[in-house]
Amino acid sequence: MAFLQEIVVLGLLVLCMTAAVSSHSRHSRYTPPNVMRLTDAFSHVSIGQEYSTFFGGSNTKLLNNGSSANLALDKSSGSGLASRNKYYYGFFSAAIKLPSGLSPGVVVAFYLSNADNYPHNHDEIDIELLGHDMRNDWVLQTNVYANGSTGTGREEKFYLWFDPTEQHHHYSIIWNSHHIVFLVDNVPVREFAHSSSYPSVYPSKPMSLYATIWDGSQWATHGGKYPVNYKYAPFVVSFAEMEMTGCIFNQTALVTSCSKANPSSLDPVDGPEFVRLSNEQSVAMDWARRKLMFYSYCNDRSRFKAMPPECK
């Protein structure tokens, strides 16, 4: 009997260890498809020249002559950068290395927004990286707001296929008159199409680009179950290889137009290669959504009693 009990206990220990390893090494289970490296097609910008401090200046440190920056979250404050220009469509990307260790409640965001100019009907396109507890990896949350409050958001959540704390990985956004595409290491994970059938849900006003780290204890980890534990602070995120290519909004111009008579194929605003995903990109996005997506607002009947029109 004692021998059988030992076998049972040993079996349970093995199962627990396997579950722990599998939960922390989810990223090792998948190899992404090969895709075109859009991040190699555009030039990097100087963070020191193209961004200004948004908040938490004492927790912001420019490095390598302004080509990269460390942003920190501690008990006193988070920190953030904002682009000096506003954009009306374009390609936006950053290589990000996330804080290591336990980070529940920590939110790292790379996003476009015009909430400063349109507080009651703002647009926003979000890449948010949500910190983890002992049982879960970092989570990628994408979101789109148009002409409304945060209650109009359209979230989708994904696991990553790599450890985002070990080295920099690219997180990118395509935004033009055709669609919004979210990409991770150049792999599209989500496409949000622009349709004349539901124009009000598509971001259409000029936006600034932001890079931030902040305390999302109230909602970020399991609905706020696990707040930030400042025993592990400071939480430091590294931003590098920032790219901003597109239509810069000119506030003095009567009409905003960046259309070109003969745009190159790699023009993210008007280029034909940015009108729709290539076959290669579509296959890669299907892979990411089948393997890694675990939440979509389209399937959330508790929040949307009627299916949003773009989901049908």
Side-chain angles (χ1 to χ4, degrees):
M1 186 70 175
F3 175 73
L4 288 175
Q5 288 177 333
E6 288 179 9
I7 293 294
V8 170
V9 170
L10 182 60
L12 289 173
L13 285 172
V14 169
L15 283 173
C16 290
M17 290 173 67
T18 303
V21 169
S22 123
S23 128
H24 281 288
S25 56
R26 182 182 292 111
H27 49 80
S28 67
R29 299 199 316 226
Y30 302 118
T31 300
N34 291 322
V35 290
M36 176 185 179
R37 290 184 55 82
L38 287 176
T39 50
D40 292 345
F42 301 102
S43 300
H44 301 159
V45 302
S46 166
I47 296 176
Q49 294 177 8
E50 298 295 332
Y51 285 82
S52 58
T53 299
F54 180 37
F55 66 98
S58 61
N59 280 346
T60 301
K61 183 181 293 185
L62 293 180
L63 304 168
N64 303 315
N65 295 318
S67 64
S68 62
N70 283 354
L71 306 182
L73 166 67
D74 59 23
K75 262 187 175 178
S76 66
S77 173
S79 51
L81 300 167
S83 63
R84 297 182 188 275
N85 291 315
K86 293 183 183 295
Y87 289 83
Y88 188 72
Y89 299 151
F91 178 81
F92 311 94
S93 185
I96 304 173
K97 182 182 178 184
L98 296 176
S100 58
L102 297 181
S103 49
V106 176
V107 178
V108 172
F110 180 66
Y111 67 103
L112 292 148
S113 177
N114 50 33
D116 53 341
N117 291 106
Y118 302 95
H120 303 296
N121 63 330
H122 82 292
D123 301 325
E124 195 163 307
I125 302 172
D126 292 343
I127 286 176
E128 294 173 315
L129 295 149
L130 312 181
H132 70 93
D133 57 31
M134 285 186 291
R135 294 172 293 174
N136 295 286
D137 295 324
W138 280 83
V139 163
L140 166 70
Q141 176 170 283
T142 64
N143 208 346
V144 176
Y145 303 138
N147 300 304
S149 68
T150 56
T152 68
R154 284 155 158 76
E155 299 92 343
E156 289 191 341
K157 296 182 182 182
F158 303 80
Y159 294 117
L160 298 167
W161 60 91
F162 51 80
D163 184 343
T165 70
E166 289 184 345
Q167 61 187 35
H168 289 81
H169 289 269
H170 292 99
Y171 303 84
S172 312
I173 296 167
I174 297 169
W175 171 45
N176 57 32
S177 61
H178 306 287
H179 57 184
I180 295 164
V181 183
F182 298 89
L183 308 98
V184 179
D185 280 348
N186 295 287
V187 174
V189 298
R190 179 182 182 184
E191 180 184 29
F192 190 87
H194 188 190
S195 172
S196 57
S197 301
Y198 38 87
S200 63
V201 303
Y202 197 82
S204 59
K205 301 183 288 292
M207 293 191 273
S208 300
L209 186 63
Y210 297 89
T212 63
I213 182 170
W214 51 284
D215 186 331
S217 292
Q218 293 184 341
W219 64 271
T221 309
H222 303 294
K225 184 177 181 181
Y226 301 105
V228 175
N229 187 339
Y230 284 102
K231 181 176 75 172
Y232 301 103
F235 303 95
V236 180
V237 58
S238 172
F239 284 87
E241 298 181 17
M242 305 285 268
E243 298 176 1
M244 297 187 291
T245 301
C247 177
I248 296 177
F249 175 61
N250 184 348
Q251 298 188 49
T252 62
L254 295 177
V255 178
T256 297
S257 176
C258 291
S259 297
K260 300 170 185 170
N262 297 297
S264 74
S265 63
L266 286 175
D267 179 346
V269 178
D270 292 313
E273 290 189 12
F274 287 84
V275 171
R276 61 182 60 86
L277 297 178
S278 67
N279 289 337
E280 180 186 68
Q281 289 173 320
S282 294
V283 168
M285 185 173 73
D286 179 65
W287 170 86
R289 296 178 72 78
R290 283 187 295 105
K291 299 288 189 182
L292 301 164
M293 187 176 75
F294 66 92
Y295 171 84
S296 173
Y297 72 101
C298 286
N299 302 321
D300 192 340
R301 294 294 175 267
S302 63
R303 183 175 171 202
F304 293 94
K305 302 304 180 185
M307 183 182 291
E310 69 276 12
C311 297
K312 294 177 181 178

